[in-house]
Amino acid sequence: MLAWTIYISFLGAALLMFLPGENPRPAKVAALLAALAGLACAAKGAIECHLHAGAGALTDVANANWIPELGIRYHLAADGISLVLVLLTGIAAVAGVLFSWNVENRSREFFALYLALIGGVYGVFLSVDLFLLFVFYEVAIIPKYFLIVIWGSTRREYGAMKLALYSFVGSAMVLVGLIAAYVMAGARTFDLAALAKVHFAPAFQNWAFIVVFVGFAILAGLWPFHTWAPTGHVAAPTAASMLLAGVVMKLGAYGALRVAMTLFPVGLHTWQNTIAVLAVVGIVYGALVALVQQDFKFVIGYSSVSHMGFVLLGLMTLTQIGLSGAVLQMFSHGIIAGLLFAVVGRMVYDRTHTRDLAVLQPKNLNQVLPFAAVTFVVGGAASMGLPGFSGFIAELQVLVGAWQTFPVFAVMAAVGILAGVAYTLRVLLKAFFAEGQVEAREPLHCPRISLPERAGALLLLGTTLLIGLCPQLLLDFITPSLNSPLMQPLWKAGTR
Amino acid sequence: MHEPLHWLILFLPLLAAMVITLFLQRYPRCSAALSVGAVLASFLLSVGVLAEFLDGRAPDIALTWLQVGSLQIQFGLHFDALSALMLLVVTGVGSVIHIYSVGYMRGDPHYARFFAEMSLFTFSMLGIVVSNNFFQMFVFWELVGLSSYLLIGFWYQRPSAADAAKKAFLTNRLGDVGFLIGIVLAWAVTGTLSFAGMKDQLLRDPTLFNTTATVVGLLIFCGAVGKSAQFPLHVWLPDAMEGPTPVSALIHAATMVAAGVYMLCRVFFIFTHHDLLVIAWIGGITALLSALIAVQQDDIKRILAYSTLSQLGYMVMAVGFSAPPAAMFHLTTHAFFKALLFLGAGSVIHALSQEQNIWQMGRLRSKMPLTYWTFLAGTLALCGLWPLSGAFSKDAILAAAWEHNKALFALGELVAFLTTFYMFRLFFVVFLGKPKSDLVGHAHESPRIMTYPLVFLAAASVVGGFMGITQFITPQFSPASARLPIFAPLEPFETSPVAALLGLAAIAIGFVAAYVYYAGAESDPLPGKMKEVCNVLRHKFYFDEFYAGLVDVCQDKPARAINLCDIGLKLLVRLTHGTAEWTGRVLRLVQTGNLQTYTLLLAAGAALVLYFMLTR
């Protein structure tokens, strides 16, 4: 069932290319149906896996020979961690289509590329053959470039090229590490579970780990390799920035956990403190930079760097609670960042054609677009980690885990949360609730918030609220997976 | 009572908030009725809980909300003397203020939103009260902060209100970061978040926290410093007066700001004697600083706000003297008379078309007799005139001070004098003397829906000392203590005559001083006499200016610096991009398309290779 998430997305993409006529409506509807079907498959697959396996081990979804000469297999499997991210992808995909309802320019191609991207992302989260994972990883990058360069705004060629180059440098590093691991293991297999059992020499692990980890983590916004993120987000069209922050950054974090950390636990141990420092720097740095941005979307872009810092910090704690927080934070940030980008890009920018906070300030947007204002208030509350929303429970777990491993970093990350409150309130007041000088207020006529926008906002808000109130729903997937045999080498490395 | 009824205490206000937000935005009357009904029902159910508790049948309800590894988090309802008392204060005073708001907010375009937010606040506050563990308390602690943010910024169109809301929220979060770290630290050592579990462990092994004991206590105290606006985080509370007056009465006087004190009493077992010393001094400093500032304020609500700060300082100080019962006693009586004073001030402001400057008022006594008499009762109770409620609770604190720390006792007496002085300054200027503006001519008494709550609170303020509050709460903190008689009007003079008599003397001196300077005064005579001192007091000891500078140095400047850093980083990225492009352009020159050039290069290459091979 889970494999169909990939097939439906690619099939949808292929069908859209052959759809006749220039009318955008059938394209939108088809894309929405494909995204919904993907989400349904993801949900059904998640429930099935949960009922049957339960213990959190990898459950096979598909397994076939692909390139037997090299021992490469078409092997898809899922455990709790990948299921959480597959669900996230499904939700983000549906929301993205809803917030792209106003794409009229070459909409067939837009949605085809969009679905191809989604298919690639599903593929990464479900592959356990590392070669296959790498292929899907590359597949996900290419549509990204075209989405930004064709449908983007502000310096789109530059942003798209920067994003693509960063991604390719990262994947080149990953490829080097994977091939090295393949050769060193000598087992003629790219299978994750098989490679995880191999004890690589410590000296090899030390360099292989950092190459593969950084290769993936570039895409997760690891400081100081984060600058593609804000630029890319700003250049991208709404749905693409939602996916970029929502799922593409998670590809990086997922790869870092699944490949780099699982295969090279000794190397992980060597680099643990260094990466934790970079993560904390990212948290504080991103938050402080967000505090002085004049472009609304840059604020959210940098906040993503800050929030992804929590994911990386959680991974580096090597404690159960820290890792579970990291995975939950991936999910939570995917939803919340998607929501905030939707408000900025779709609800505000598409109507006012500006993202400059100084220009937005006198427009009194909370009167003009009350729904956008309320959505941003609630989304902002979720983003700054207020209890009741998913971000709180995720960041709290990361903090608790960090406290056990590196107490000083936990305190600094907590300061980052404080700066998060400051930039969120600042941008909230400036963009929506600034005092509008009645005489200076321009008469602003813009279309009302449409039904698809409302549906998308409610979907994302409902999800973050649901997980905030019942985090156990996802933790039931995550916790057993952290105890699965696959993760055992990690814990052994982390005992201190 | 059945178990579901206990949950209703907590969830009825939330239900009201949700229903109003989702369905009743356009029906102001229904939303007000729903909100008032919810808090009244919670009050009645709380009375039920009190009855159960007195019978010794109060239940402890707990559900497991979250389980990750060794971290188990519960969601529960805990009823003991402390929470039962606080429940009654929050829902009781809350009901009265809700009813008053029905009249006060009439005609506001966002009437429904007001009641939704008030109900949300009630829910969050009750959540703190019934918490049985640190985590739940923290969750509701934040929710209370959020609802306070929403209510301070209720009139967000005013920039001052929006700024005040932001300031309150940020200052609170600052304290909460310390609180959260303290909670995590306490959990890391004890492995439990529940109050009962932690207390048991500490009883079994008092050295459990080892060297971190004092740090844990101080970090947890940080939470109270933020929420109860203690020095040095006191700056947000006076600005919070930008909210509507009932909000100031309920949240920023009677209940939310007292949550810090309540929390200190709830986790009193965790504090070491070093912690308690710090707590006592922080409370004392807050009490003195804010009483001094109050002497030179002109805005009626701000005077009351500084007075609240000062009284909160008293309560915190009482906790520092290991006297949580005294703190809770003063918290309760203060809730009565400070809510009364704020609502009285609201009645005045309402009558004078939103004027808040006391030097624009005067002779309101004849215009608003009911407000006048109830305000007088509140003022006397606040000053601590025997036999009004404030006298008993304040004497309990001063008696504890006399036992523990003579310096703080002297400070407490000084604050008692200042309190009487600034309160009668306010009273003389507003209600007596000549009318100081035309507004007074049009003033009239407020409608009954606003004056009845005043009468009710005045009655509570007068008899609050005889309700047996100390007797009710003391056994929880010192189970061995003798049973005290409920009605003991002369008790303060018997247990600690020095404190009680000096307290009365302070009131007398304060009253005379206020009478000499302010009876019949047209403008403030003090600035003319002590220019420099008054200037400092008017500027609130320059805290705001100092913090503005601090934020600039610690936040704005680094943020800008790091932003430059990021631009530098981006330039660096462009540099690599530029290098690649430049290399490409240079290499392109080599590709001429000219066969002779290629042959030449090939030959040159071959020659080089040969040269290296042969010279080896």
Side-chain angles (χ1 to χ4, degrees), chain B residues 564-587:
Chain B
L564 283 182
C565 201
D566 202 61
I567 292 171
L569 203 61
K570 283 183 196 157
L571 285 180
L572 208 68
V573 173
R574 288 215 81 147
L575 194 71
T576 42
H577 150 205
T579 319
E581 192 176 328
W582 185 78
T583 320
R585 280 171 194 276
V586 169
L587 285 179

Side-chain angles (χ1 to χ4, degrees), chain A residues 155 158 162 166 223-224 226-227 231 285 288-289 291-293 298 302 320-321 324 366-367 384-387 392-393 396-397 399-400 403-404 411 414-415 417-418 421-422 425-426 428-429 433 435 468-472 475 479, chain B residues 65-71 73 110 135 138-140 142-143 146 149-150 156-159 162-163 165-166 169-170 173-174 177 180-181 184-185 187-188 219 554-556 558-560 562-563 565-567 569-570 573-574 577:
Chain A
R155 300 211 298 157
Y158 177 70
K162 194 170 179 181
Y166 263 84
W223 188 86
H226 64 279
T227 64
T231 329
Y285 182 104
L288 284 179
V289 177
L291 202 53
V292 290
Q293 295 306 310
F298 263 122
Y302 277 104
Q320 187 133 43
I321 191 158
S324 125
N366 75 311
Q367 303 276 318
M384 61 177 126
L386 279 193
F392 169 69
I393 190 73
L396 183 79
Q397 288 189 45
L399 279 185
V400 171
W403 182 269
Q404 294 171 346
V411 175
V415 173
I417 295 186
L418 206 60
V421 177
L425 288 186
R426 168 181 172 267
L428 180 68
L429 291 181
F433 293 94
E435 161 77 332
L469 294 177
C470 317
Q472 206 69 49
L475 290 175
T479 316
Chain B
W65 180 65
L66 186 69
Q67 174 99 46
V68 200
S70 56
L71 176 68
I73 296 174
H110 300 290
F135 184 87
F138 186 79
V139 167
F140 283 101
E142 293 296 306
L143 268 180
L146 177 71
Y149 172 80
L150 293 173
Y156 59 83
Q157 300 89 337
R158 302 179 186 170
D163 286 346
K166 190 170 145 190
F169 195 74
L170 272 171
R173 284 299 292 226
L174 191 62
V177 168
L180 186 62
I181 295 174
V184 171
L185 197 57
W187 170 75
L219 283 170
C554 296
Q555 180 192 303
D556 297 350
R560 263 180 248 123
I562 288 191
N563 190 37
C565 201
D566 202 61
I567 292 171
L569 203 61
K570 283 183 196 157
V573 173
R574 288 215 81 147
H577 150 205

Side-chain angles (χ1 to χ4, degrees), chain B residues 9 34 48 79-80 119 152 167 222 274 278 310 313 437 482 486 529 606:
Chain B
I9 297 179
L34 190 63
F79 298 108
D80 57 8
S119 284
I152 297 171
K167 183 173 176 182
C222 277
H274 296 294
V278 174
S310 166
S437 75
I486 299 252
K529 294 195 167 62

